[in-house]
Amino acid sequence: MENKRKINRWDRRRSNKRLRRLKESEKYKKIENTLDTVNIRLPELTEKQKKGIEGDLVRKRK
């Protein structure tokens, strides 16, 4: 059985900063333009945050 750790506020802030830096990178913008599928693997993010990111990417794609 796998132990799941509780994700605290600090983890969420750290993940939001990681995400912000990622979105500003040139590599991310290049990938965003050629995007077919979305697979987000940041465990610190909530489902709501993941859905928001996916929605943003899909809207930019259209």
Side-chain angles (χ1 to χ4, degrees):
M1 187 173 210
E2 191 177 313
N3 288 338
K4 291 199 172 196
R5 70 179 186 88
K6 184 176 181 193
I7 296 173
N8 61 27
R9 189 182 317 157
W10 179 253
D11 291 330
R12 292 204 196 288
R13 276 204 310 241
R14 188 178 66 213
S15 68
N16 284 336
K17 287 180 182 181
R18 280 176 56 197
L19 191 60
R20 195 175 315 122
R21 281 194 305 269
L22 173 70
K23 283 184 173 183
E24 292 170 356
S25 72
E26 194 61 41
K27 183 179 177 183
Y28 178 85
K29 290 176 183 167
K30 190 187 307 180
I31 291 170
E32 187 179 60
N33 292 333
T34 61
L35 185 67
D36 287 333
T37 60
V38 177
N39 184 12
I40 300 169
R41 290 178 288 149
L42 295 176
E44 302 91 2
L45 296 178
T46 63
E47 287 302 315
K48 183 178 177 184
Q49 288 172 317
K50 288 178 186 178
K51 294 291 180 196
I53 294 167
E54 290 173 4
D56 290 345
L57 293 174
V58 169
R59 266 187 259 120
K60 285 183 180 181
R61 182 80 173 139
K62 291 181 180 180

